[in-house]
Short mmCIF file of all heavy atoms in Angstrom, two decimals:
data_model
loop_
_atom_site.label_atom_id
_atom_site.label_comp_id
_atom_site.label_asym_id
_atom_site.label_seq_id
_atom_site.Cartn_x
_atom_site.Cartn_y
_atom_site.Cartn_z
N THR I 400 3.73 10.73 -9.02
CA THR I 400 3.09 11.06 -10.29
C THR I 400 2.49 12.47 -10.26
O THR I 400 2.58 13.22 -11.24
CB THR I 400 1.98 10.04 -10.61
OG1 THR I 400 2.55 8.72 -10.62
CG2 THR I 400 1.36 10.31 -11.96
N PHE I 403 5.34 15.05 -10.51
CA PHE I 403 5.87 15.08 -11.86
C PHE I 403 4.90 15.79 -12.81
O PHE I 403 5.31 16.57 -13.67
CB PHE I 403 6.15 13.65 -12.34
CG PHE I 403 6.91 13.59 -13.63
CD1 PHE I 403 7.77 14.60 -14.02
CD2 PHE I 403 6.77 12.49 -14.48
CE1 PHE I 403 8.49 14.53 -15.21
CE2 PHE I 403 7.45 12.42 -15.67
CZ PHE I 403 8.32 13.44 -16.03
N VAL I 407 5.41 19.26 -15.11
CA VAL I 407 5.12 19.38 -16.55
C VAL I 407 4.07 20.45 -16.81
O VAL I 407 4.27 21.34 -17.66
CB VAL I 407 4.66 18.01 -17.11
CG1 VAL I 407 4.16 18.16 -18.54
CG2 VAL I 407 5.80 17.00 -17.06
N VAL I 421 9.62 10.60 -22.77
CA VAL I 421 8.31 10.81 -23.41
C VAL I 421 7.67 12.14 -22.98
O VAL I 421 7.13 12.85 -23.84
CB VAL I 421 7.38 9.62 -23.09
CG1 VAL I 421 5.94 9.95 -23.50
CG2 VAL I 421 7.86 8.38 -23.81
N PRO I 422 7.72 12.54 -21.70
CA PRO I 422 7.17 13.85 -21.36
C PRO I 422 7.85 14.98 -22.13
O PRO I 422 7.20 15.95 -22.52
CB PRO I 422 7.44 13.97 -19.86
CG PRO I 422 7.48 12.56 -19.37
CD PRO I 422 8.12 11.80 -20.48
N GLY I 423 9.15 14.85 -22.35
CA GLY I 423 9.87 15.86 -23.13
C GLY I 423 9.39 15.90 -24.57
O GLY I 423 9.18 16.98 -25.15
N LEU I 424 9.20 14.73 -25.16
CA LEU I 424 8.68 14.66 -26.54
C LEU I 424 7.28 15.25 -26.60
O LEU I 424 6.94 15.98 -27.54
CB LEU I 424 8.68 13.20 -27.00
CG LEU I 424 8.18 12.93 -28.42
CD1 LEU I 424 9.03 13.67 -29.45
CD2 LEU I 424 8.17 11.43 -28.70
N ALA I 425 6.46 14.94 -25.60
CA ALA I 425 5.10 15.48 -25.56
C ALA I 425 5.10 16.99 -25.42
O ALA I 425 4.28 17.69 -26.04
CB ALA I 425 4.33 14.84 -24.40
N LEU I 426 6.03 17.52 -24.62
CA LEU I 426 6.12 18.97 -24.45
C LEU I 426 6.58 19.66 -25.74
O LEU I 426 6.10 20.74 -26.08
CB LEU I 426 7.07 19.31 -23.30
CG LEU I 426 6.50 19.12 -21.90
CD1 LEU I 426 7.61 19.18 -20.85
CD2 LEU I 426 5.43 20.16 -21.60
N MET I 428 6.00 18.58 -28.74
CA MET I 428 4.83 18.55 -29.62
C MET I 428 3.82 19.61 -29.20
O MET I 428 3.16 20.23 -30.05
CB MET I 428 4.20 17.15 -29.59
CG MET I 428 5.08 16.07 -30.19
SD MET I 428 4.36 14.41 -30.06
CE MET I 428 2.97 14.57 -31.17
N ILE I 434 -0.48 20.43 -29.15
CA ILE I 434 -1.18 19.20 -28.78
C ILE I 434 -0.96 18.94 -27.29
O ILE I 434 0.17 18.96 -26.81
CB ILE I 434 -0.68 17.99 -29.60
CG1 ILE I 434 -0.85 18.26 -31.09
CG2 ILE I 434 -1.42 16.72 -29.20
CD1 ILE I 434 -0.26 17.17 -31.97
N SER I 435 -2.01 18.69 -26.56
CA SER I 435 -1.91 18.54 -25.11
C SER I 435 -1.01 17.37 -24.73
O SER I 435 -1.19 16.25 -25.24
CB SER I 435 -3.31 18.32 -24.51
OG SER I 435 -3.20 17.99 -23.13
N PRO I 436 -0.06 17.58 -23.82
CA PRO I 436 0.78 16.48 -23.33
C PRO I 436 -0.03 15.39 -22.63
O PRO I 436 0.42 14.24 -22.56
CB PRO I 436 1.74 17.17 -22.35
CG PRO I 436 1.75 18.58 -22.76
CD PRO I 436 0.38 18.87 -23.27
N ALA I 437 -1.19 15.75 -22.09
CA ALA I 437 -2.03 14.74 -21.44
C ALA I 437 -2.39 13.64 -22.42
O ALA I 437 -2.44 12.45 -22.07
CB ALA I 437 -3.30 15.39 -20.88
N LEU I 438 -2.64 14.00 -23.68
CA LEU I 438 -3.01 13.03 -24.71
C LEU I 438 -1.79 12.30 -25.25
O LEU I 438 -1.78 11.06 -25.34
CB LEU I 438 -3.74 13.75 -25.85
CG LEU I 438 -4.14 12.88 -27.05
CD1 LEU I 438 -5.13 11.80 -26.62
CD2 LEU I 438 -4.74 13.76 -28.15
N THR I 439 -0.74 13.05 -25.59
CA THR I 439 0.42 12.42 -26.23
C THR I 439 1.18 11.50 -25.28
O THR I 439 1.65 10.44 -25.68
CB THR I 439 1.37 13.50 -26.77
OG1 THR I 439 1.61 14.49 -25.76
CG2 THR I 439 0.78 14.18 -28.00
N THR I 440 1.32 11.90 -24.01
CA THR I 440 2.02 11.02 -23.07
C THR I 440 1.26 9.71 -22.89
O THR I 440 1.88 8.63 -22.79
CB THR I 440 2.19 11.70 -21.69
OG1 THR I 440 0.92 12.15 -21.21
CG2 THR I 440 3.16 12.85 -21.77
N PHE I 441 -0.06 9.79 -22.85
CA PHE I 441 -0.86 8.58 -22.67
C PHE I 441 -0.70 7.65 -23.87
O PHE I 441 -0.45 6.45 -23.72
CB PHE I 441 -2.33 8.95 -22.48
CG PHE I 441 -3.23 7.75 -22.29
CD1 PHE I 441 -3.27 7.10 -21.08
CD2 PHE I 441 -4.01 7.28 -23.34
CE1 PHE I 441 -4.09 5.99 -20.90
CE2 PHE I 441 -4.82 6.17 -23.17
CZ PHE I 441 -4.86 5.52 -21.94
N ILE I 442 -0.83 8.20 -25.08
CA ILE I 442 -0.74 7.37 -26.30
C ILE I 442 0.63 6.73 -26.44
O ILE I 442 0.76 5.52 -26.68
CB ILE I 442 -1.08 8.21 -27.55
CG1 ILE I 442 -2.55 8.64 -27.51
CG2 ILE I 442 -0.79 7.41 -28.82
CD1 ILE I 442 -2.92 9.60 -28.62
N ILE I 443 1.69 7.54 -26.28
CA ILE I 443 3.06 7.03 -26.47
C ILE I 443 3.41 6.01 -25.39
O ILE I 443 3.99 4.95 -25.68
CB ILE I 443 4.07 8.19 -26.49
CG1 ILE I 443 3.80 9.12 -27.67
CG2 ILE I 443 5.49 7.63 -26.59
CD1 ILE I 443 4.64 10.38 -27.67
N ASN I 444 3.08 6.31 -24.14
CA ASN I 444 3.42 5.39 -23.04
C ASN I 444 2.66 4.07 -23.15
O ASN I 444 3.23 3.00 -22.90
CB ASN I 444 3.14 6.04 -21.69
CG ASN I 444 4.24 6.98 -21.24
OD1 ASN I 444 5.41 6.75 -21.53
ND2 ASN I 444 3.86 8.04 -20.56
N VAL I 445 1.39 4.14 -23.51
CA VAL I 445 0.61 2.90 -23.69
C VAL I 445 1.19 2.08 -24.84
O VAL I 445 1.32 0.85 -24.74
CB VAL I 445 -0.88 3.23 -23.94
CG1 VAL I 445 -1.62 1.98 -24.41
CG2 VAL I 445 -1.53 3.77 -22.68
N ALA I 446 1.55 2.74 -25.94
CA ALA I 446 2.11 2.04 -27.10
C ALA I 446 3.41 1.33 -26.74
O ALA I 446 3.62 0.15 -27.07
CB ALA I 446 2.32 3.01 -28.25
N THR I 447 4.33 2.05 -26.06
CA THR I 447 5.61 1.43 -25.69
C THR I 447 5.42 0.33 -24.66
O THR I 447 6.14 -0.69 -24.69
CB THR I 447 6.58 2.49 -25.13
OG1 THR I 447 5.94 3.21 -24.05
CG2 THR I 447 6.99 3.48 -26.21
N LEU I 448 4.43 0.49 -23.77
CA LEU I 448 4.18 -0.56 -22.78
C LEU I 448 3.64 -1.82 -23.45
O LEU I 448 4.04 -2.94 -23.09
CB LEU I 448 3.19 -0.05 -21.73
CG LEU I 448 2.92 -0.99 -20.54
CD1 LEU I 448 4.20 -1.21 -19.73
CD2 LEU I 448 1.83 -0.43 -19.64
N LEU I 449 2.74 -1.66 -24.41
CA LEU I 449 2.20 -2.82 -25.13
C LEU I 449 3.27 -3.53 -25.94
O LEU I 449 3.29 -4.76 -26.02
CB LEU I 449 1.06 -2.37 -26.05
CG LEU I 449 -0.23 -1.89 -25.35
CD1 LEU I 449 -1.22 -1.35 -26.38
CD2 LEU I 449 -0.86 -3.04 -24.55
N ILE I 450 4.16 -2.75 -26.54
CA ILE I 450 5.23 -3.36 -27.34
C ILE I 450 6.28 -4.04 -26.47
O ILE I 450 6.77 -5.12 -26.79
CB ILE I 450 5.91 -2.28 -28.23
CG1 ILE I 450 4.89 -1.74 -29.25
CG2 ILE I 450 7.12 -2.86 -28.96
CD1 ILE I 450 5.40 -0.54 -30.02
N SER I 463 2.88 0.42 -13.72
CA SER I 463 2.88 1.30 -14.88
C SER I 463 1.47 1.49 -15.43
O SER I 463 1.13 2.57 -15.93
CB SER I 463 3.79 0.74 -15.99
OG SER I 463 5.13 0.69 -15.56
N ILE I 464 0.65 0.45 -15.33
CA ILE I 464 -0.74 0.56 -15.76
C ILE I 464 -1.48 1.61 -14.91
O ILE I 464 -2.39 2.29 -15.39
CB ILE I 464 -1.44 -0.80 -15.66
CG1 ILE I 464 -0.87 -1.75 -16.72
CG2 ILE I 464 -2.95 -0.68 -15.85
CD1 ILE I 464 -1.37 -3.18 -16.61
N VAL I 465 -1.05 1.76 -13.66
CA VAL I 465 -1.63 2.80 -12.80
C VAL I 465 -1.00 4.16 -13.11
O VAL I 465 -1.69 5.18 -13.21
CB VAL I 465 -1.42 2.45 -11.31
CG1 VAL I 465 -1.93 3.57 -10.43
CG2 VAL I 465 -2.09 1.13 -10.98
N THR I 466 0.32 4.19 -13.26
CA THR I 466 1.05 5.44 -13.43
C THR I 466 0.67 6.16 -14.71
O THR I 466 0.44 7.38 -14.70
CB THR I 466 2.57 5.18 -13.42
OG1 THR I 466 2.93 4.48 -12.24
CG2 THR I 466 3.34 6.49 -13.49
N ILE I 467 0.60 5.45 -15.83
CA ILE I 467 0.42 6.09 -17.13
C ILE I 467 -0.89 6.88 -17.22
O ILE I 467 -0.85 8.08 -17.55
CB ILE I 467 0.53 5.03 -18.25
CG1 ILE I 467 1.98 4.53 -18.35
CG2 ILE I 467 0.05 5.59 -19.59
CD1 ILE I 467 2.16 3.35 -19.28
N PRO I 468 -2.05 6.29 -16.94
CA PRO I 468 -3.28 7.10 -17.02
C PRO I 468 -3.36 8.16 -15.93
O PRO I 468 -3.88 9.26 -16.16
CB PRO I 468 -4.40 6.07 -16.86
CG PRO I 468 -3.78 4.90 -16.19
CD PRO I 468 -2.35 4.88 -16.62
N LEU I 469 -2.82 7.85 -14.74
CA LEU I 469 -2.85 8.82 -13.64
C LEU I 469 -2.05 10.07 -14.00
O LEU I 469 -2.48 11.20 -13.73
CB LEU I 469 -2.30 8.18 -12.37
CG LEU I 469 -2.51 8.93 -11.06
CD1 LEU I 469 -4.00 9.05 -10.76
CD2 LEU I 469 -1.79 8.21 -9.92
N PHE I 470 -0.90 9.87 -14.61
CA PHE I 470 -0.05 10.98 -15.02
C PHE I 470 -0.79 11.87 -16.03
O PHE I 470 -0.78 13.10 -15.91
CB PHE I 470 1.24 10.43 -15.61
CG PHE I 470 2.21 11.48 -16.07
CD1 PHE I 470 2.68 12.45 -15.19
CD2 PHE I 470 2.67 11.50 -17.37
CE1 PHE I 470 3.58 13.42 -15.61
CE2 PHE I 470 3.57 12.46 -17.80
CZ PHE I 470 4.03 13.42 -16.91
N SER I 471 -1.43 11.26 -17.00
CA SER I 471 -2.16 12.02 -18.01
C SER I 471 -3.36 12.75 -17.41
O SER I 471 -3.65 13.89 -17.78
CB SER I 471 -2.63 11.08 -19.13
OG SER I 471 -1.52 10.52 -19.81
N ILE I 472 -4.04 12.11 -16.47
CA ILE I 472 -5.19 12.76 -15.81
C ILE I 472 -4.74 13.98 -15.02
O ILE I 472 -5.36 15.05 -15.08
CB ILE I 472 -5.92 11.75 -14.89
CG1 ILE I 472 -6.63 10.69 -15.74
CG2 ILE I 472 -6.93 12.47 -14.01
CD1 ILE I 472 -7.18 9.53 -14.92
N PHE I 473 -3.65 13.85 -14.28
CA PHE I 473 -3.13 14.97 -13.50
C PHE I 473 -2.76 16.14 -14.42
O PHE I 473 -3.04 17.30 -14.12
CB PHE I 473 -1.92 14.54 -12.67
CG PHE I 473 -2.26 13.80 -11.42
CD1 PHE I 473 -1.43 12.79 -10.93
CD2 PHE I 473 -3.41 14.10 -10.69
CE1 PHE I 473 -1.73 12.11 -9.76
CE2 PHE I 473 -3.73 13.43 -9.52
CZ PHE I 473 -2.89 12.43 -9.06
N ILE I 474 -2.09 15.83 -15.54
CA ILE I 474 -1.72 16.90 -16.48
C ILE I 474 -2.96 17.58 -17.03
O ILE I 474 -3.03 18.82 -17.12
CB ILE I 474 -0.86 16.33 -17.64
CG1 ILE I 474 0.51 15.87 -17.12
CG2 ILE I 474 -0.66 17.38 -18.73
CD1 ILE I 474 1.39 15.25 -18.18
N TYR I 475 -3.96 16.78 -17.39
CA TYR I 475 -5.21 17.33 -17.94
C TYR I 475 -5.88 18.27 -16.94
O TYR I 475 -6.40 19.33 -17.32
CB TYR I 475 -6.15 16.18 -18.31
CG TYR I 475 -7.51 16.64 -18.79
CD1 TYR I 475 -7.68 17.15 -20.07
CD2 TYR I 475 -8.62 16.56 -17.94
CE1 TYR I 475 -8.93 17.58 -20.51
CE2 TYR I 475 -9.87 16.98 -18.37
CZ TYR I 475 -10.01 17.49 -19.64
OH TYR I 475 -11.25 17.92 -20.07
N GLU I 478 -3.17 21.52 -16.44
CA GLU I 478 -2.70 22.38 -17.53
C GLU I 478 -3.61 23.60 -17.70
O GLU I 478 -4.84 23.51 -17.61
CB GLU I 478 -2.62 21.61 -18.84
CG GLU I 478 -3.90 21.05 -19.38
CD GLU I 478 -3.68 20.29 -20.68
OE1 GLU I 478 -2.79 20.68 -21.45
OE2 GLU I 478 -4.39 19.30 -20.92
N THR I 512 8.37 5.57 -15.27
CA THR I 512 7.63 6.56 -16.04
C THR I 512 7.36 6.08 -17.46
O THR I 512 6.74 6.79 -18.24
CB THR I 512 8.40 7.89 -16.09
OG1 THR I 512 9.72 7.64 -16.60
CG2 THR I 512 8.50 8.51 -14.70
N GLY I 513 7.83 4.89 -17.79
CA GLY I 513 7.57 4.32 -19.11
C GLY I 513 8.41 4.99 -20.18
O GLY I 513 9.46 5.56 -19.93
N GLY I 514 7.94 4.90 -21.42
CA GLY I 514 8.60 5.61 -22.52
C GLY I 514 9.98 5.10 -22.82
O GLY I 514 10.18 3.91 -23.13
#
Side-chain angles (χ1 to χ4, degrees):
T400 303
F403 190 27
V407 172
V421 169
L424 180 60
L426 283 167
M428 294 176 68
I434 302 174
S435 172
L438 177 63
T439 49
T440 54
F441 180 77
I442 294 173
I443 297 173
N444 279 327
V445 168
T447 53
L448 185 64
L449 291 174
I450 295 171
S463 296
I464 291 173
V465 176
T466 305
I467 291 172
L469 192 63
F470 180 57
S471 296
I472 290 171
F473 281 147
I474 292 178
Y475 175 77
E478 62 180 327
T512 55

